Amino acid sequence: AWAKDTHYSPYGQLPMSMGIQTEGASTEGGPKRVLMWACPRSRSTAFERAIGRRGDTVVMHELMSEPFLKAKNPENYAKVKEGQAGVNVDASGCSYSTMLEVMLADYSYQQKPVFFSKELSCYFDFEEGAIPDAWLRQFHHVILFRDPVPTLESWHRVALKATAEGGTGYFDPSEAGFAECVKIHQRVVAAGCDVMVIDADRDLMQDPEKTMRSFCSFSGAVWSRVWALVRARVQ
């Protein structure tokens, strides 16, 4: 199931250089739905903002994070809630299963041909039955990763900032997400989903236009040079 070229890391093995598998995704007949699974500080938010500038895509941001922490990691969830209170942000209170429903809701009234949600890979629930294969097959999946060393350095620096300064207020290495990226790739390929893998350094930064053109082809979005602004947003 691996692409010809492969990225090796201490966390496992991932295809690299935009390897695309296209087996059996069941998303035809309606707007394309795309999920991006990313490590923290992998330039995923810059990618998301470039998509948001287009205006023809429904864009969601990390819907799974809060309900996952609430159910699986109460200690870190309490830290997140404390940070939210400090900037007057209310917790959603939604369950993980509710967020899965939200991501499959009908957004056709917005008349946008693509649905996109950026999620952190560490909050993928691998517990049996939590995320059914049938649900996964409703999406095209993008896995975004970055060299672990600069990723962790950047994440550690930003995470320990106060929430008001853009940080989470805590750093937990178990949420690095690299191992989860490998497991997610294995899971969605086994489920017969379409998968695109992007190396943030080798693909996104070195050739943002080619990368975003490939994403457009993969997701069904219409190409525009606005997409190439992703590089400017991360430098």
Side-chain angles (χ1 to χ4, degrees), residues 67-87:
F68 182 94
L69 287 170
K70 183 179 180 181
K72 303 287 187 177
N73 195 330
E75 182 178 349
N76 283 356
Y77 179 62
K79 296 172 184 175
V80 170
K81 285 190 65 177
E82 181 180 351
Q84 289 174 330
V87 292

Side-chain angles (χ1 to χ4, degrees), residues 2 14 35 59 68 78 118 122 152 195 198 207:
W2 300 112
L14 275 174
L35 289 182
V59 179
F68 182 94
K118 188 265 283 193
C122 59
L152 293 170
V195 186
I198 300 175
D207 198 340

